[in-house]
Amino acid sequence: MQTVHSQDNKSKIKGQFRGRRTDPDARREILELLADQPRQRDLLIEYLHLIQDKYHQIEARHIVALADELKLAMTEVFEVATFYHHFDVVKDQTQAPKLTIRVCNSVSCELFGASQLLKDTQKNYQGDIRVQVVPCVGRCQDAPVVVVGTNPIGKATSESIAKAVSSNQVTPAPLSYKDYHQYRQAGGYKLLKDCHAGKQSLADILKKLKDSKLRGLGGAGFPTGTKWEILQKQPKPRLLAVNIDEGEPGTFKDRHYLESDPHRFLEGALIAAWAIEAEAIYLYLRDEYAGCRAILTRELAVLQASAPVKLPAIHLRRGAGAYICGEESAMIESIEGKRGMPRLRPPYVAQVGLFGQPTLEHNMETLYWVRDILEQGADWFAGHGRHGRQGLRSYSVSGRVNKPGVHLAPAGITLRELIDEYCGGMPAGHTLYAYFPGGASGGILPASRADLPLDFDTLNQYGCFIGSAAIIVLSDHDKARDAALNAMRFFEDESCGQCTPCRVGTAKAVTLMEQPIWDQALLEELAQAMNDTSICGLGQAAPNPLRCAMKYFPEEF
């Protein structure tokens, strides 16, 4: 029989039968989830969250239906869904787990028995309750930490996990914090109103920020006042993007401030938006902070309903479990609904940032201090430093100390002073042995270097940096090589895979570091290659802990 392929038949084959067809039930479910929300490309990750939250997984049929509704190629949706840890993509309709229990295995949690807790939890729960090992969840002061559903359990035990599961405590308990009305009663948003009313001059504000020596507190440490000036010189329209994706193991300061006084940071963000005449503000919050997300959702609604001034559009965007999105350009890619892969620079995000527009990118804590500095003066902030440094720092301290937590202390304080004056000393039977001065990527220093000022630029000559001031304290009960291996496993898991030096280098380093005897010459060669050629800070800084372990702890090798 001769087959005739008319032009209509070719169109039908091309339009309807190539690739997967949209399942009618899946389409209906997607339409119900999206309802009247806009069909925008940059909201793709938000919509994937809707699917994950509803069905506890993302089936292939939902990916096809969502791609069809957003007028995207299926591959675009698939590559985004599979990039992020918090999306569980399955090929077909399978039974989703009733509940997921996540056990953190970061450096701090490992010190307090996370490995054994993981084994016990895996033994206790099977079937429709899934147990996952996950990287840092931002609660290092309460190590070991387990998350049941979205409910974090600090100092977790098998008993406390069982209690949460049996009582269905799978969401965070409501938090007590200073809400909008309490903040306004205490003078909040007066400064913002004065800015809009012309009672505060932009020149004076920039001078105060410069004189205060306030720098970016997410790790890079770029001077804040200078950053605002640079943005003012860029063409309009301009945007403000706030990074609250603190995924660095050992860091939890942003969560601390969000859970206590969220409007202080929001006022700082609105002043920054006024200063650069930003059209909109985008808040990028890490997905592990479900309690903070509830706070911001509620308080933003109240703020917008009772706005003290004309507000720019404020968008709250939810991360999806990717440490790399703490890097500013990767965060911008994620806000745009894409995989969180760092951009090659130049151009810098201040020139070509979010949606191609000049973007002021800030860490949340940097903006938290804006109101206090402008009200109390630059000298108030700058006058708190020690050992020749200036300013205040929020140190996230975890590990072997009696009082872990966020400690507001003078910039330049030493580790020994921090432990003795703020952290209640070392636990009985423990002697200071080593410490991470800047989270997993900040390197490891021995106790003999515990008198160095903890601030920007003071640790570089030792192969370390302060970063976001995440201090993890090790004692003589611990080994630096074990901590370095833990950190490298984290980087291997969190590498975005875009560049070979980081993708292959972290995996190769883990293999070499798992050997009883390290090939130190080969590890150093690998570390140098990663440092020199990786695209972003993840691959460049990943070798710091292993290099420090070899340099400062030769007795372990």
Side-chain angles (χ1 to χ4, degrees), residues 157-171:
T157 63
S158 295
E159 292 72 23
S160 61
I161 296 170
K163 180 179 178 182
V165 172
S166 63
S167 59
N168 200 34
Q169 296 173 351
V170 296
T171 56

PDB file of all heavy atoms in Angstrom, residues 157-171:
ATOM      1  N   THR A 157      17.563  13.187  68.385  1.00  0.00           N
ATOM      2  CA  THR A 157      17.793  11.813  68.823  1.00  0.00           C
ATOM      3  C   THR A 157      16.756  10.927  68.141  1.00  0.00           C
ATOM      4  O   THR A 157      15.772  11.423  67.571  1.00  0.00           O
ATOM      5  CB  THR A 157      17.644  11.677  70.345  1.00  0.00           C
ATOM      6  OG1 THR A 157      16.285  12.006  70.707  1.00  0.00           O
ATOM      7  CG2 THR A 157      18.601  12.608  71.081  1.00  0.00           C
ATOM      8  N   SER A 158      16.960   9.633  68.218  1.00  0.00           N
ATOM      9  CA  SER A 158      15.958   8.723  67.662  1.00  0.00           C
ATOM     10  C   SER A 158      14.605   8.940  68.315  1.00  0.00           C
ATOM     11  O   SER A 158      13.554   8.861  67.661  1.00  0.00           O
ATOM     12  CB  SER A 158      16.417   7.272  67.841  1.00  0.00           C
ATOM     13  OG  SER A 158      17.580   7.015  67.079  1.00  0.00           O
ATOM     14  N   GLU A 159      14.632   9.266  69.617  1.00  0.00           N
ATOM     15  CA  GLU A 159      13.388   9.484  70.350  1.00  0.00           C
ATOM     16  C   GLU A 159      12.672  10.753  69.883  1.00  0.00           C
ATOM     17  O   GLU A 159      11.445  10.755  69.696  1.00  0.00           O
ATOM     18  CB  GLU A 159      13.654   9.550  71.851  1.00  0.00           C
ATOM     19  CG  GLU A 159      14.112   8.237  72.489  1.00  0.00           C
ATOM     20  CD  GLU A 159      15.534   7.856  72.128  1.00  0.00           C
ATOM     21  OE1 GLU A 159      16.325   8.769  71.755  1.00  0.00           O
ATOM     22  OE2 GLU A 159      15.864   6.648  72.198  1.00  0.00           O
ATOM     23  N   SER A 160      13.406  11.835  69.704  1.00  0.00           N
ATOM     24  CA  SER A 160      12.750  13.083  69.283  1.00  0.00           C
ATOM     25  C   SER A 160      12.243  12.985  67.846  1.00  0.00           C
ATOM     26  O   SER A 160      11.208  13.576  67.500  1.00  0.00           O
ATOM     27  CB  SER A 160      13.706  14.267  69.434  1.00  0.00           C
ATOM     28  OG  SER A 160      14.860  14.123  68.623  1.00  0.00           O
ATOM     29  N   ILE A 161      12.934  12.228  67.011  1.00  0.00           N
ATOM     30  CA  ILE A 161      12.451  12.009  65.644  1.00  0.00           C
ATOM     31  C   ILE A 161      11.163  11.208  65.670  1.00  0.00           C
ATOM     32  O   ILE A 161      10.174  11.545  65.000  1.00  0.00           O
ATOM     33  CB  ILE A 161      13.524  11.281  64.803  1.00  0.00           C
ATOM     34  CG1 ILE A 161      14.774  12.152  64.658  1.00  0.00           C
ATOM     35  CG2 ILE A 161      12.963  10.928  63.423  1.00  0.00           C
ATOM     36  CD1 ILE A 161      15.958  11.427  64.054  1.00  0.00           C
ATOM     37  N   ALA A 162      11.153  10.140  66.467  1.00  0.00           N
ATOM     38  CA  ALA A 162       9.955   9.291  66.563  1.00  0.00           C
ATOM     39  C   ALA A 162       8.757  10.081  67.079  1.00  0.00           C
ATOM     40  O   ALA A 162       7.623   9.893  66.606  1.00  0.00           O
ATOM     41  CB  ALA A 162      10.245   8.096  67.476  1.00  0.00           C
ATOM     42  N   LYS A 163       8.995  10.962  68.026  1.00  0.00           N
ATOM     43  CA  LYS A 163       7.908  11.779  68.571  1.00  0.00           C
ATOM     44  C   LYS A 163       7.315  12.681  67.499  1.00  0.00           C
ATOM     45  O   LYS A 163       6.084  12.822  67.384  1.00  0.00           O
ATOM     46  CB  LYS A 163       8.416  12.612  69.741  1.00  0.00           C
ATOM     47  CG  LYS A 163       7.355  13.487  70.381  1.00  0.00           C
ATOM     48  CD  LYS A 163       7.916  14.280  71.551  1.00  0.00           C
ATOM     49  CE  LYS A 163       6.855  15.193  72.160  1.00  0.00           C
ATOM     50  NZ  LYS A 163       7.414  16.001  73.278  1.00  0.00           N
ATOM     51  N   ALA A 164       8.180  13.303  66.692  1.00  0.00           N
ATOM     52  CA  ALA A 164       7.704  14.191  65.626  1.00  0.00           C
ATOM     53  C   ALA A 164       6.911  13.411  64.587  1.00  0.00           C
ATOM     54  O   ALA A 164       5.872  13.874  64.098  1.00  0.00           O
ATOM     55  CB  ALA A 164       8.877  14.910  64.981  1.00  0.00           C
ATOM     56  N   VAL A 165       7.396  12.224  64.238  1.00  0.00           N
ATOM     57  CA  VAL A 165       6.709  11.418  63.225  1.00  0.00           C
ATOM     58  C   VAL A 165       5.359  10.935  63.734  1.00  0.00           C
ATOM     59  O   VAL A 165       4.336  11.050  63.053  1.00  0.00           O
ATOM     60  CB  VAL A 165       7.587  10.219  62.809  1.00  0.00           C
ATOM     61  CG1 VAL A 165       6.803   9.274  61.901  1.00  0.00           C
ATOM     62  CG2 VAL A 165       8.853  10.700  62.104  1.00  0.00           C
ATOM     63  N   SER A 166       5.337  10.420  64.959  1.00  0.00           N
ATOM     64  CA  SER A 166       4.094   9.850  65.492  1.00  0.00           C
ATOM     65  C   SER A 166       3.028  10.910  65.739  1.00  0.00           C
ATOM     66  O   SER A 166       1.831  10.655  65.603  1.00  0.00           O
ATOM     67  CB  SER A 166       4.376   9.094  66.792  1.00  0.00           C
ATOM     68  OG  SER A 166       4.866   9.979  67.791  1.00  0.00           O
ATOM     69  N   SER A 167       3.447  12.120  66.087  1.00  0.00           N
ATOM     70  CA  SER A 167       2.493  13.201  66.352  1.00  0.00           C
ATOM     71  C   SER A 167       2.235  14.070  65.128  1.00  0.00           C
ATOM     72  O   SER A 167       1.560  15.097  65.220  1.00  0.00           O
ATOM     73  CB  SER A 167       2.989  14.069  67.508  1.00  0.00           C
ATOM     74  OG  SER A 167       4.248  14.627  67.203  1.00  0.00           O
ATOM     75  N   ASN A 168       2.844  13.683  63.982  1.00  0.00           N
ATOM     76  CA  ASN A 168       2.656  14.402  62.719  1.00  0.00           C
ATOM     77  C   ASN A 168       3.117  15.854  62.796  1.00  0.00           C
ATOM     78  O   ASN A 168       2.512  16.751  62.197  1.00  0.00           O
ATOM     79  CB  ASN A 168       1.191  14.333  62.270  1.00  0.00           C
ATOM     80  CG  ASN A 168       1.027  14.610  60.785  1.00  0.00           C
ATOM     81  OD1 ASN A 168       1.894  14.248  59.981  1.00  0.00           O
ATOM     82  ND2 ASN A 168      -0.054  15.264  60.404  1.00  0.00           N
ATOM     83  N   GLN A 169       4.202  16.092  63.531  1.00  0.00           N
ATOM     84  CA  GLN A 169       4.790  17.435  63.610  1.00  0.00           C
ATOM     85  C   GLN A 169       5.752  17.590  62.428  1.00  0.00           C
ATOM     86  O   GLN A 169       6.969  17.457  62.563  1.00  0.00           O
ATOM     87  CB  GLN A 169       5.528  17.612  64.935  1.00  0.00           C
ATOM     88  CG  GLN A 169       4.620  17.541  66.146  1.00  0.00           C
ATOM     89  CD  GLN A 169       5.408  17.553  67.456  1.00  0.00           C
ATOM     90  OE1 GLN A 169       6.629  17.449  67.473  1.00  0.00           O
ATOM     91  NE2 GLN A 169       4.695  17.681  68.561  1.00  0.00           N
ATOM     92  N   VAL A 170       5.202  17.910  61.270  1.00  0.00           N
ATOM     93  CA  VAL A 170       5.995  17.916  60.040  1.00  0.00           C
ATOM     94  C   VAL A 170       6.174  19.313  59.460  1.00  0.00           C
ATOM     95  O   VAL A 170       6.763  19.475  58.389  1.00  0.00           O
ATOM     96  CB  VAL A 170       5.355  16.985  58.981  1.00  0.00           C
ATOM     97  CG1 VAL A 170       5.365  15.548  59.460  1.00  0.00           C
ATOM     98  CG2 VAL A 170       3.929  17.437  58.635  1.00  0.00           C
ATOM     99  N   THR A 171       5.681  20.337  60.143  1.00  0.00           N
ATOM    100  CA  THR A 171       5.908  21.721  59.734  1.00  0.00           C
ATOM    101  C   THR A 171       6.470  22.496  60.922  1.00  0.00           C
ATOM    102  O   THR A 171       6.242  22.120  62.074  1.00  0.00           O
ATOM    103  CB  THR A 171       4.603  22.400  59.252  1.00  0.00           C
ATOM    104  OG1 THR A 171       3.621  22.313  60.289  1.00  0.00           O
ATOM    105  CG2 THR A 171       4.091  21.719  57.995  1.00  0.00           C
TER     106      THR A 171
END
